[in-house]
Amino acid sequence: MIQQNRVPQKKFSLNLHNSAIDYIDRILSEVSGMKCLILDQETIGIISLIYSQSQILKKDVYLMEKIDAAASTKQKLQHMKVIFLIRPTQENQTLLLQEIKDKRFCEYYIFFTNTLSNFYIEQLAEADDSDLIKQLQEIYLDYYIVQPDTFTLNIPSTISLTKSVSQWNSKDEQLFQRVLEGLSATIYSLRRIPMIRYQGSSEICAKLAQKLSQTMREEYEQSQSQFMLSNCLLLILDRREDPATLLLNQWTYQAMLHELIGIQNNRIDIRQGQKALNQAASINKTDSDSEFVIASSLDDFFADNQYSNFGELAQNIKDFIDKVTNQKKETVQINSLEDMQKAVDRIPEIRKMSGNLSKHVALSCELSKLVEERQLLKVSKVEQDIVCNEAKSEHQRAVFQMLEDRTIQTYEKLKLVMLYALRYENCDKISRMKDVLRDLGVKNNSLNLINHLLDYSGKARRQGDLFSDKNIFSKAQQKLKSVFKDVPNIYTQHQPYFLTILDQILTNKIKDNEFPATNLNYFRDRPTEIIIFYVGGTSFEEVKEIGLLNKQPNSPNILLGGTYIHNSRTFLAEICQLAYENSIDIVVDKSNPRNDAKFHKF
């Protein structure tokens, strides 16, 4: 066990955004003069979340290329230096070796986003017979920063890792290695050596925790001065413990945007033909004419409202409209040269505010239209009651009523049956619900999703009490909840299950047999920093809960990450892969959350 030389506790930040900005600033600033920046497909996405193209150009970057495109050109640019910022994949390493041999640039500055083997470093040295490589460095930037307290590895599916480790093939091993590298890079970039707890019932969580503990121990022993032993806890969870959160309709701004339209790398693609969005696109142009950028670091209104419920959002947009209107009126009232100068100085600010206003008005109108079209208020009320209250007979009647309602889309009906099946797994009424769906035209392949979901995360797969129905005390609490239903908002009463685990950690009630710890940096004190990582992906509902906790003065600093950030459609697309494993043909269109007809061949 590592012996701790603890430093006095301070309020250290787990702000990934700041550490990433520091990496990129140093890389671009320390290489002086005209330069070319070469990235790969993943680092393009990683950088785009923290640095705009205009910011990069201000650092004397005159040319940007992808490494695979750069390898196909033989144009000599001997007057320029080049910066490579790439992942240490086998393909990238091969392309880089060829680039060094071609000698296209006068100086090479190479940055890999994770660790390299000594053998490859020797290969680079042999290839560089003209001493063109001026810097070779490993930095820890192998993950995507959604916002300061949220990160993802952007791996849409890890479902193959839910098999027994003994059944993994070479592709599964590569996928696991990517998860390991991404999570370790996140922690290394924060300069932490955490205590590691993991979900004991999950083989993949156990393997990840043990492997991470081993690699971090080796790294610490080699570079003790670079890392800090502190009361930081890494908690590794399996998505199978709480599938319900990903199936619910959402009612806070950021989560609604992802569920109903889709957010990818903090961008909303407006090429789907949404009328309201396309009207605003001509006003609000960003890095791409076909995208809206939704980022708390760039948009004050979004930062203030990303966790607001839909009712609050409407009032806040009205207030925003009034604010922009008043500021425009002030610029018109010019009575002197000094007033004119002030008006000119404020034009960029007002333009930015106007652009943000048009964006959020368009998005909120689109959300409102989708809620109305899909009758989501009606659907969500039943969803929330199923996951929050114990009332089997009532829930049966409610689900059958929804199935018979012609105003509700088939996709919403399928999700309702899935939620019911998760809660009342052995109920004989589930087969009747399937029959009704079949009568509505739902194909057998789509109906099989219900069984695949139970195979993935039914009671046999879960160790926790997801619906508070595993013991007599929990059932009594649920009975009281079903009697006293006066909650502030029936559409947002659900709380993700990881909050229960978090509460157990903070009150020192966590059970070691359910969440074992490795022997890396073991401590018994209340953690002051917590990193939660979901194998199988997280959600924006969980992101919201972490954001609200981080605003509380007595809460520890909490960072949330996952292999992906799912909405219900990307989650079910992953569940579909269980069918692929069994050679069952199911087609899922993930590209357009609005196109219900293309989902599962209804």
Side-chain angles (χ1 to χ4, degrees):
M1 186 179 295
I2 295 177
Q3 296 297 314
Q4 300 190 40
N5 298 313
R6 294 194 181 276
V7 297
Q9 285 292 319
K10 301 177 183 178
K11 182 60 178 178
F12 288 101
S13 173
L14 292 178
N15 190 318
L16 285 174
H17 190 266
N18 287 349
S19 63
I21 286 288
D22 181 58
Y23 276 139
I24 304 305
D25 277 346
R26 285 191 289 114
I27 288 171
L28 297 179
S29 299
E30 290 178 5
V31 181
S32 59
M34 292 177 61
K35 47 189 170 280
C36 173
L37 177 62
I38 295 182
L39 307 167
D40 61 32
Q41 186 60 45
E42 283 214 62
T43 53
I44 288 172
I46 291 169
I47 298 302
S48 69
L49 284 167
I50 53 177
Y51 238 79
S52 69
Q53 188 170 344
S54 59
Q55 287 175 308
I56 292 174
L57 293 175
K58 289 177 182 178
K59 299 289 186 179
D60 292 329
V61 176
Y62 288 83
L63 179 64
M64 286 186 282
E65 294 182 348
K66 282 180 62 178
I67 186 169
D68 50 354
S72 63
T73 179
K74 300 300 181 182
Q75 181 184 5
K76 298 290 184 179
L77 298 168
Q78 296 289 342
H79 59 293
M80 296 182 73
K81 302 173 184 177
V82 63
I83 297 172
F84 278 82
L85 179 58
I86 54 178
R87 293 200 66 248
T89 64
Q90 186 62 52
E91 180 184 5
N92 284 347
Q93 291 179 22
T94 301
L95 292 172
L96 179 59
L97 279 172
Q98 186 58 51
E99 176 67 40
I100 297 299
K101 294 174 182 176
D102 290 342
K103 303 179 177 65
R104 292 176 57 217
F105 299 91
C106 63
E107 293 180 359
Y108 286 76
Y109 298 82
I110 303 168
F111 299 88
F112 283 96
T113 60
N114 219 309
T115 55
L116 284 170
S117 68
N118 290 332
F119 175 72
Y120 181 70
I121 294 173
E122 292 172 2
Q123 283 185 302
L124 273 179
E126 290 177 9
D128 185 25
D129 52 16
S130 300
D131 196 25
L132 298 179
I133 299 177
K134 303 303 178 184
Q135 189 172 358
L136 174 63
Q137 189 174 340
E138 300 164 341
I139 64 171
Y140 300 115
L141 193 54
D142 213 5
Y143 49 88
Y144 297 72
I145 304 166
V146 178
Q147 55 197 43
D149 58 5
T150 308
F151 70 98
T152 173
L153 303 185
N154 258 2
I155 303 172
S157 177
T158 54
I159 203 150
S160 65
L161 300 184
T162 61
K163 298 180 296 189
S164 172
V165 173
S166 62
Q167 296 177 342
W168 285 4
N169 57 33
S170 59
K171 287 186 177 180
D172 298 328
E173 293 287 355
Q174 290 172 7
L175 180 59
F176 173 79
Q177 189 64 26
R178 175 67 184 103
V179 175
L180 176 64
E181 290 171 356
L183 183 54
S184 61
T186 305
I187 298 168
Y188 290 154
S189 68
L190 294 167
R191 309 299 180 193
R192 301 296 196 271
I193 298 293
M195 175 182 173
I196 302 176
R197 282 193 183 275
Y198 59 93
Q199 190 174 309
S201 62
S202 170
E203 189 178 10
I204 175 59
C205 287
K207 180 176 175 66
L208 183 58
Q210 295 298 337
K211 191 68 176 177
L212 190 63
S213 181
Q214 176 187 337
T215 57
M216 295 199 77
R217 180 188 305 280
E218 294 169 356
E219 189 73 18
Y220 178 75
E221 289 173 352
Q222 293 176 11
S223 314
Q224 291 192 20
S225 62
Q226 295 184 26
F227 300 101
M228 179 184 67
L229 291 167
S230 65
N231 282 24
C232 178
L233 173 68
L234 169 63
L235 177 65
I236 303 176
L237 301 176
D238 193 321
R239 181 73 266 168
R240 288 177 290 181
E241 195 68 6
D242 176 15
T245 295
L246 299 187
L247 294 173
L248 297 172
N249 278 294
Q250 299 299 318
W251 295 102
T252 53
Y253 191 27
Q254 185 182 42
M256 283 185 79
L257 287 172
H258 192 41
E259 177 63 23
L260 298 181
I261 303 176
I263 302 174
Q264 182 67 27
N265 288 349
N266 285 351
R267 284 164 171 77
I268 291 180
D269 190 339
I270 60 175
R271 288 171 293 195
Q272 305 297 337
Q274 295 99 322
K275 184 177 179 182
L277 297 186
N278 285 336
Q279 286 174 342
S282 60
I283 302 170
N284 185 68
K285 293 182 185 293
T286 56
D287 290 347
S288 170
D289 292 346
S290 62
E291 292 176 334
F292 278 140
V293 176
I294 300 292
S296 56
S297 59
L298 301 174
D299 185 337
D300 291 340
F301 181 83
F302 184 68
D304 292 339
N305 290 277
Q306 64 188 114
Y307 307 137
S308 298
N309 68 50
F310 200 47
E312 296 168 340
L313 178 67
Q315 181 59 49
N316 293 342
I317 287 180
K318 181 181 180 301
D319 294 341
F320 192 20
I321 291 172
D322 294 340
K323 180 179 179 181
V324 174
T325 302
N326 290 334
Q327 292 209 6
K328 285 184 175 180
K329 286 180 180 178
E330 290 176 12
T331 62
V332 176
Q333 298 172 1
I334 298 174
N335 300 314
S336 66
L337 290 173
E338 185 177 347
D339 290 342
M340 186 181 295
Q341 182 61 53
K342 289 180 179 178
V344 171
D345 290 342
R346 295 187 67 184
I347 286 174
E349 177 189 350
I350 293 173
R351 281 181 177 169
K352 181 180 179 181
M353 288 180 65
S354 297
N356 280 338
L357 175 59
S358 66
K359 171 174 66 179
H360 292 296
V361 167
L363 290 172
S364 62
C365 286
E366 185 66 16
L367 292 178
S368 181
K369 186 172 69 174
L370 291 171
V371 168
E372 180 77 18
E373 286 177 356
R374 300 181 184 182
Q375 297 290 297
L376 295 183
L377 286 169
K378 191 189 300 185
V379 173
S380 185
K381 185 177 180 180
V382 178
E383 287 179 346
Q384 291 284 325
D385 205 49
I386 289 174
V387 296
C388 295
N389 301 302
E390 175 78 28
K392 186 175 181 180
S393 297
E394 289 182 27
H395 293 158
Q396 283 178 16
R397 286 194 296 271
V399 171
F400 280 116
Q401 286 175 1
M402 292 292 104
L403 291 177
E404 294 169 3
D405 192 329
R406 294 185 177 183
T407 66
I408 296 171
Q409 293 189 0
T410 312
Y411 175 64
E412 302 299 336
K413 294 176 180 180
L414 178 62
K415 283 199 302 171
L416 274 174
V417 175
M418 287 179 170
L419 287 169
Y420 183 89
L422 280 171
R423 173 138 211 162
Y424 306 108
E425 191 167 325
N426 299 316
C427 177
D428 58 359
K429 299 294 183 183
I430 296 172
S431 61
R432 174 61 188 144
M433 293 174 184
K434 289 181 182 179
D435 289 340
V436 176
L437 285 171
R438 189 177 290 108
D439 291 341
L440 292 171
V442 179
K443 304 297 184 184
N444 285 333
N445 286 347
S446 299
L447 292 175
N448 286 336
L449 273 176
I450 300 168
N451 294 336
H452 292 316
L453 178 65
L454 296 178
D455 289 341
Y456 174 77
S457 55
K459 286 183 180 179
R461 300 288 188 182
R462 304 193 304 263
Q463 73 175 20
D465 197 0
L466 176 61
F467 296 113
S468 301
D469 59 359
K470 284 194 173 182
N471 60 66
I472 190 169
F473 300 107
S474 296
K475 287 185 177 181
Q477 285 182 326
Q478 283 294 314
K479 187 65 178 176
L480 286 172
K481 283 176 65 178
S482 65
V483 174
F484 302 105
K485 292 185 180 178
D486 288 334
V487 294
N489 189 334
I490 60 172
Y491 301 107
T492 57
Q493 58 183 305
H494 168 260
Q495 290 189 320
Y497 183 67
F498 82 96
L499 291 177
T500 301
I501 302 169
L502 196 57
D503 180 66
Q504 292 172 358
I505 290 170
L506 297 179
T507 56
N508 203 25
K509 294 179 180 178
I510 195 76
K511 296 179 180 178
D512 286 337
N513 64 321
E514 293 182 356
F515 295 93
T518 69
N519 62 0
L520 181 75
N521 189 26
Y522 186 87
F523 59 84
R524 295 187 178 276
D525 301 334
R526 184 179 189 264
T528 55
E529 298 172 334
I530 300 175
I531 303 169
I532 301 172
F533 184 79
Y534 259 113
V535 180
T538 185
S539 70
F540 275 120
E541 182 181 353
E542 289 155 335
V543 169
K544 175 204 69 176
E545 296 294 346
I546 294 301
L548 295 177
L549 281 172
N550 279 330
K551 292 180 180 179
Q552 297 181 9
N554 297 323
S555 170
N557 208 353
I558 306 175
L559 181 65
L560 175 66
T563 49
Y564 200 66
I565 299 183
H566 279 298
N567 57 24
S568 64
R569 293 178 185 270
T570 60
F571 175 58
L572 291 180
E574 182 165 19
I575 298 300
C576 278
Q577 294 189 32
L578 286 176
Y580 297 145
E581 298 273 333
N582 297 319
S583 301
I584 299 174
D585 181 27
I586 293 181
V587 176
V588 179
D589 176 19
K590 296 183 288 181
S591 62
N592 186 356
R594 303 190 49 181
N595 194 346
D596 191 68
K598 291 184 181 178
F599 197 89
H600 303 314
K601 288 187 177 177
F602 286 145

